[in-house]
Amino acid sequence: MTEVLLDWQDSERTETISVPAGETILDAAAATDIGLPFGCRTGACGTCTARLLSGDVVHHRPPRALKDRHLADGYVLLCIAEPTTDTHLAVGATVQSELVPNPWK
């Protein structure tokens, strides 16, 4: 079991969750009643994108919503990501806006 610190970059909120081996971060968060955005649950849409600040994760399947440069910059998809060490992640709307600029601005 690993510990994951979720850090909402657009507020002062932080939460720590325990993630059992074989479980995704999104599922572990839901099990503790922490709501995180998600869409497809297959790594295709990118709605659940977070940024890895420290620690390591593995994706259970190819993260199709992320380009190689996103992976190199530390972005992960919580719906298919499992931590392999204690981990610190940035989450929230600002992470999404880092990844995909709003075309309406």
Side-chain angles (χ1 to χ4, degrees):
M1 180 152 336
T2 58
E3 299 291 315
V4 175
L5 173 62
L6 301 170
D7 188 344
W8 278 258
Q9 299 289 288
D10 47 358
S11 73
E12 299 293 321
R13 183 180 178 194
T14 61
E15 300 277 355
T16 300
I17 59 172
S18 298
V19 182
E23 190 167 312
T24 67
I25 297 167
L26 182 65
D27 287 341
T32 58
D33 292 327
I34 296 173
L36 294 171
F38 67 92
C40 67
R41 290 189 166 270
T42 64
C45 74
T47 303
C48 63
T49 301
R51 187 166 30 88
L52 187 66
L53 300 175
S54 67
D56 294 298
V57 302
V58 294
H59 287 110
H60 287 182
R61 58 175 55 199
R64 293 180 291 156
L66 299 177
K67 299 182 182 324
D68 288 342
R69 63 184 160 89
H70 298 142
L71 294 168
D73 288 342
Y75 291 99
V76 299
L77 300 177
L78 300 181
C79 70
I80 58 171
E82 177 183 346
T84 57
T85 63
D86 289 346
T87 301
H88 183 189
L89 292 164
V91 297
T94 56
V95 176
Q96 275 286 331
S97 65
E98 291 171 7
L99 191 65
V100 181
N102 184 341
W104 307 111
K105 286 186 175 179

